């Protein structure tokens, strides 16, 4: 069994932003030289997500607007913000979008469906955050 | 290490439907002959889900009604539908339900709790979709 | 390839409670003697969750209050409760929080970000429930 570990550093340009990281994950799979296995991609932070969906600008805006309805910024509503933070909403938004994805590797490639793209979802950005790619297999 | 890959093709009978796929995953585990490992089951589409919950008709209807409240069809509300699609809601519903599950394999079997059943959740159906089962272990 | 399996039994003190299980997962990783691999941690029940977020009391209360808004107890609203259960809401809450996490193991340790802590989220507690830890690697 082989294992491969890669850390990406991402600094978003906006406080809330959805960033396509599919190519970076493909590069890691190639570098790993693993042909059959599993690829974990996760945010190492608790106010951002890794998820799979569609590369379409309108949908990315829909996600951001929808998350703001389900888990609004609303500073005074959340107890967590009494600690001096203002990012309680980001912890909740990330929970809906998910921390991680696990993707099959088949014949040396990410075994993705035709429209599957991998995204980093940032909900408290404008600073360096890390994403972990861990691949195991043979 | 061994790896086993299986693609299921599923065509739902309704636009939105929850379909129990536990037996099909069990068959794949048996075919893999893997005794200890991990089993990934994921939708290869971005408008459907794989998730684990309870095989109970009322609960399945509750899920569908609840998702319609949290992420309504509401054609004119979503920017994604300006692309000619009408399935923005399905992308959002699938996000709540999740893309994938990872299940332990112990002593040659899915290591599920007493009520855990594996479901395919379709939110834009009536056409062929694929589910990927990837098993690695020994 | 090595595999390690551990079952935790958890009995919450409240019907709804968020319990930090990070130390228990670390103990399992150490016992496994696996240096590079993947660690799956999942609830074996369909009314509770395993998820990663922040160890902060206010945030834990925010999560519980927020889930009660998104998926209220509301006995008469859910068809599932006609079966004699009253825990439909718990099935829904657990869906938002997620069933499982998959964590990389690097150099013999859980490869967690600085604030990542692992939680068991109970939504129908006051009775014994099980969590599965499955580690594979080398």
């Amino acid at each position: 069994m082989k294992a491969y570990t890669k850390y990406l550093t991402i600094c978003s340009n906006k406080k809330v932003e959805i960033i396509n990281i599919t190519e970076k994950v493909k590069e890691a799979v190639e570098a790993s030289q693993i042909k059959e296995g599993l690829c974990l991609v996760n945010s190492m932070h608790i106010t951002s997500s890794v998820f799979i969906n569609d590369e379409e600008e309108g949908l990315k805006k829909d996600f951001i607007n929808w998350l703001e309805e389900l888990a609004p910024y609303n500073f005074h509503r959340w107890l967590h913000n009494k600690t001096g933070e203002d990012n309680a909403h980001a912890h909740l938004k990330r929970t809906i979008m998910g921390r991680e994805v696990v993707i099959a590797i088949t014949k040396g490639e990410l075994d993705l469906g035709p429209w599957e793209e991998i995204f980093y979802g940032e909900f408290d950005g404008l600073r360096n955050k890390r994403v972990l790619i861990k691949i195991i297999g043979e």
Side-chain angles (χ1 to χ4, degrees), chain A:
Chain A
M1 200 205 79
K2 285 200 284 193
Y4 178 88
T5 311
K6 171 93 181 177
Y7 305 93
L8 306 178
T9 299
I10 296 174
C11 185
S12 66
N13 292 312
K14 296 179 190 167
K15 205 75 173 156
V16 175
E17 190 173 1
I18 293 174
I19 297 167
N20 193 321
I21 59 170
T22 311
E23 283 310 311
K24 291 191 186 300
V25 181
K26 285 183 178 173
E27 285 166 25
V29 172
E30 197 172 343
S32 77
Q33 298 190 291
I34 288 171
K35 302 303 180 197
E36 295 289 324
L38 294 177
C39 175
L40 167 69
V41 189
N42 70 267
S43 172
M44 299 185 79
H45 299 261
I46 50 192
T47 52
S48 58
S49 288
V50 172
F51 65 95
I52 284 179
N53 218 293
D54 195 2
E55 178 50 74
E56 198 280 303
E57 283 308 313
L59 185 66
K60 287 196 266 187
K61 287 179 193 154
D62 288 334
F63 267 119
I64 290 170
N65 294 336
W66 177 66
L67 289 168
E68 187 57 30
E69 274 184 44
L70 291 183
Y73 174 78
N74 203 344
F75 180 80
H76 293 290
R77 175 169 168 185
W78 310 111
L79 297 168
H80 181 56
N81 292 340
K82 296 191 177 181
T83 62
E85 300 279 359
D86 76 338
N87 64 5
H89 75 110
H91 291 270
L92 306 179
K93 287 181 170 98
R94 109 70 173 256
T95 299
I96 288 176
M97 299 308 288
R99 167 187 180 263
E100 78 216 11
V101 293
V102 178
I103 306 162
I105 295 173
T106 305
K107 297 178 184 165
E109 294 191 358
L110 289 172
D111 201 342
L112 293 171
W115 301 100
E116 287 192 301
E117 300 270 339
I118 310 163
F119 294 94
Y120 175 71
E122 176 63 81
F123 306 110
D124 187 27
L126 299 172
R127 52 192 171 119
N128 279 350
K129 301 274 195 91
R130 287 196 304 160
V131 166
L132 169 56
I133 304 173
K134 187 92 188 188
I135 305 171
I136 70 170
E138 261 178 11

